[in-house]
Amino acid sequence: IAMTAGLGVGAKNLVFNSSIETFFIQNDPARDAYEAFRSKFGDDQVVIVAYEPVSGGIFDEPNLVALQTLTRRLGALSGRSGIERVVSITNAFYADRSKGFSQASHFIPDIVPKEAAELDVLKKRALGESLVRGGLISEDLSAAAILIFFESTPQAFAAKGVALTEIDRVAREAVGEASGRIRVSGVPVV
């Protein structure tokens, strides 16, 4: 019993590294290919916060405002607990070619329009981008994703449990049960 109790005390500090790197043998050609992929496309350390409004679609003005607020509050966590950046349709960029040249512009302006015609323009712009439709917004426009990217450091990995608790708390406070549902998923933490 004493041995079990001793092991139990130590188990609370036990951390599992479930990253894919642990599945490769040193000097494995597959590991080299994976590292080349990561250097080109980035790391897989992402948490997704899904926001589903209780009524209406993502492009209804109050729901876009709620998503924008949620994105900003989660974005305020950047630089803490290993969080590097936060991206949603409200702060993502697209190539705006409306002035005869290409310029990076946000899909959603800082002040969300109230007029249905202006909201429709935003919706059509977003739906025209294949990486947004089905990525940052659901195909049926009933939900949106907020991507939270973590730093690729051992410290960030160790702090992920704290970060997930904070992400969940901030997301639920920002949205409130009356206006939408929140789901958090992504990199597992044991």
Side-chain angles (χ1 to χ4, degrees):
I1 293 176
M3 188 170 129
T4 302
L7 290 173
V9 170
K12 72 178 182 179
N13 297 319
L14 185 62
V15 176
F16 291 94
N17 182 349
S18 61
S19 65
I20 198 163
E21 292 92 348
T22 61
F23 297 104
F24 291 112
I25 303 168
Q26 198 69 15
N27 300 323
D28 183 346
R31 182 185 185 122
D32 295 339
Y34 173 73
E35 292 298 334
F37 176 87
R38 267 187 29 179
S39 70
K40 184 172 184 177
F41 296 106
D43 207 338
D44 58 354
Q45 304 298 317
V46 179
V47 167
I48 301 168
V49 175
Y51 165 62
E52 183 181 8
V54 170
S55 65
I58 285 298
F59 285 94
D60 290 351
E61 187 261 345
N63 297 335
L64 264 182
V65 169
L67 179 61
Q68 191 174 61
T69 300
L70 176 57
T71 302
R72 287 177 178 163
R73 290 200 183 154
L74 290 169
L77 298 175
S78 292
R80 297 182 359 212
S81 300
I83 296 172
E84 186 174 39
R85 70 185 184 282
V86 175
V87 177
S88 81
I89 187 71
T90 66
N91 67 351
F93 290 97
Y94 74 100
D96 182 358
R97 295 178 187 90
S98 64
K99 297 176 183 162
F101 57 91
S102 202
Q103 132 183 1
S105 297
H106 284 105
F107 277 101
I108 309 299
D110 287 337
I111 299 172
V112 175
K114 295 184 182 302
E115 300 298 320
E118 291 177 80
L119 291 166
D120 196 47
V121 168
L122 299 178
K123 179 171 41 176
K124 286 179 182 171
R125 181 184 304 142
L127 288 174
E129 296 286 336
S130 60
L131 292 175
V132 172
R133 187 184 63 253
L136 293 177
I137 55 175
S138 63
E139 293 280 346
D140 65 359
L141 305 177
S142 67
I146 301 168
L147 307 177
I148 301 173
F149 295 88
F150 284 84
E151 298 167 0
S152 296
T153 64
Q155 297 82 3
F157 182 82
K160 229 170 249 159
V162 172
L164 287 174
T165 300
E166 187 72 0
I167 289 166
D168 190 62
R169 182 189 64 74
V170 168
R172 293 185 194 291
E173 285 176 4
V175 171
E177 290 181 25
S179 67
R181 290 181 284 281
I182 295 292
R183 292 178 181 84
V184 179
S185 72
V187 178
V189 175
V190 179

